[in-house]
Amino acid sequence: MHAISNPTPFNQKIRLGILWIIAICLATIILISRPMLPEDGIIHEVMETVGLALLVLAVLGRLWSILYIGSKKNQELVILGPYSMTRNPLYFSSLTGLLGVGLVYGSMVLTVVLLMAALIVFQYTALREADFLKARFGEGYADYASRTPLILPRPSLYATSDEVTFSVNALTKTLRDCLPFLVLYPIIEVVEYLHATDKLHPLLVLP
């Protein structure tokens, strides 16, 4: 196989745009529906607690990942920290956040649909990015890819260094990219309150 001449990275604005579309669609579904499980029941409360913990882990995971890659994305081959366990820790963190949103809402159907939709998007963009990185870094990336999973991490591979230099701009941008997760949680809580006070009547009931 011949190397790609003048390879160009995948446009991340497209991926972020798709995620915002998913977030807007999800917010709309939350506004017009309610979960089948009683919103004041113990099962729903457990799901909500686990979901909130996953949301926190998702944000922390994205921040941890950006500490390692920062402004070096597509400029250097980063294989330490979270990148030693998976080639796409940012995508894995986003999947964790979407799982958290589904559980906070209290619908397993919505959770599965969210994960499937996001996995399709991430799988496509991750493979496109892999083609670019292989063309750019050659055998170095091929060797890294041969031992490191595409998205789901393998903790036994973890490796790091004593010091990490990070980009403040990249960290700030990542915080902004976390907004879909941070915004959806209060929306769910407000909708639950409106349901409990009969101020909002759902059109759909989701199992």
Side-chain angles (χ1 to χ4, degrees):
M1 180 180 296
H2 297 290
I4 302 172
S5 60
N6 298 322
T8 56
F10 182 78
N11 188 344
Q12 293 299 317
K13 290 182 179 180
I14 297 176
R15 175 183 61 82
L16 291 173
I18 293 174
L19 284 179
W20 273 105
I21 290 173
I22 292 176
I24 292 171
C25 291
L26 179 56
T28 302
I29 292 173
I30 291 170
L31 287 172
I32 67 172
S33 67
R34 69 170 179 81
M36 182 177 292
L37 289 172
E39 293 173 339
D40 57 350
I42 184 64
I43 296 179
H44 185 276
E45 290 298 320
V46 170
M47 291 176 64
E48 184 173 0
T49 301
V50 173
L52 182 56
L54 290 174
L55 283 173
V56 173
L57 287 176
V59 173
L60 292 178
R62 290 188 63 86
L63 294 177
W64 183 35
S65 300
I66 214 66
L67 287 177
Y68 276 82
I69 199 165
S71 58
K72 295 179 286 188
K73 184 175 178 66
N74 298 327
Q75 304 302 316
E76 298 179 23
L77 184 58
V78 179
I79 61 174
L80 295 176
Y83 290 88
S84 64
M85 300 182 289
T86 168
R87 284 178 274 162
N88 293 280
L90 289 168
Y91 292 170
F92 177 73
S93 295
S94 294
L95 286 172
T96 301
L98 290 172
L99 173 60
V101 169
L103 292 178
V104 167
Y105 176 75
S107 168
M108 293 307 300
V109 169
L110 183 61
T111 300
V112 172
V113 170
L114 273 177
L115 290 179
M116 292 300 294
L119 192 57
I120 290 172
V121 174
F122 292 152
Q123 183 82 5
Y124 172 76
T125 56
L127 291 174
R128 287 282 304 275
E129 289 171 349
D131 289 339
F132 165 77
L133 293 171
K134 185 175 181 181
R136 185 172 181 84
F137 298 109
E139 291 302 317
Y141 180 79
D143 178 65
Y144 168 61
S146 68
R147 66 177 186 273
T148 311
L150 184 64
I151 295 180
L152 296 180
R154 189 181 302 161
S156 61
L157 297 174
Y158 181 72
T160 189
S161 58
D162 293 333
E163 295 182 359
V164 176
T165 301
F166 69 93
S167 166
V168 174
N169 288 337
L171 192 63
T172 302
K173 182 177 181 298
T174 299
L175 284 171
R176 185 187 66 196
D177 293 343
C178 290
L179 283 178
F181 300 127
L182 301 177
V183 167
L184 285 171
Y185 177 71
I187 288 177
I188 293 174
E189 290 299 301
V190 169
V191 170
E192 282 188 7
Y193 169 78
L194 294 176
H195 287 165
T197 56
D198 290 327
K199 294 178 180 177
L200 182 65
H201 301 284
L203 302 176
L204 300 172
V205 177
L206 299 178

